[in-house]
Amino acid sequence: MTEKDLIIQDLRRENAELRARMPKWISVDEKLPQNFISVLGYMTDAGEFPPVRECYTVGNAFFFPALGDVHPVSRWCEMPQPPKGE
C-alpha cells in the first residue's frame, strides 16, 4: 500500500466517524421526539423566519419558544453537543 493509499484510507475512516456523530434529520411520520425535550425542528410554514429553530413537542404539536407559538414541522433532529471545554 502506498502512502497515498494510507492517507485516503485514514481520510475515509475519519469521514465515517464524523458522519456517525452528525445529528440525523427524522421525519415526523417516522418518529416524534419525547415531550419537553429540546430538538431542532424544520418548520414548513417559516415564512420570513429561519426554517430551523429550537423547539419541543407537547403531544403531537411542536412549540417554538422563541416564537411563542406552535408550528407544523416536517423533520426534526436532536440538538448537537456543545463544544468541549465550554
Side-chain angles (χ1 to χ4, degrees):
M1 199 175 268
T2 67
E3 183 178 347
K4 180 180 174 182
D5 292 331
L6 291 172
I7 291 170
I8 291 171
Q9 184 179 17
D10 285 344
L11 289 172
R12 285 184 175 152
R13 178 190 47 75
E14 183 179 346
N15 188 24
E17 290 172 2
L18 289 171
R19 285 180 181 270
R21 292 195 324 236
M22 290 291 297
K24 306 285 189 263
W25 287 100
I26 301 167
S27 170
V28 296
D29 296 331
E30 182 183 326
K31 178 182 172 184
L32 291 175
Q34 289 182 311
N35 283 333
F36 307 109
I37 302 294
S38 288
V39 296
L40 292 176
Y42 184 84
M43 289 191 299
T44 57
D45 68 343
E48 72 272 9
F49 300 113
V52 176
R53 288 184 171 259
E54 180 181 5
C55 61
Y56 59 87
T57 55
V58 180
N60 291 335
F62 283 82
F63 180 77
F64 289 78
L67 303 175
D69 206 356
V70 171
H71 290 269
V73 167
S74 63
R75 299 190 171 276
W76 64 274
C77 72
E78 294 179 6
M79 296 294 280
Q81 294 297 315
K84 294 186 190 261
E86 291 187 23

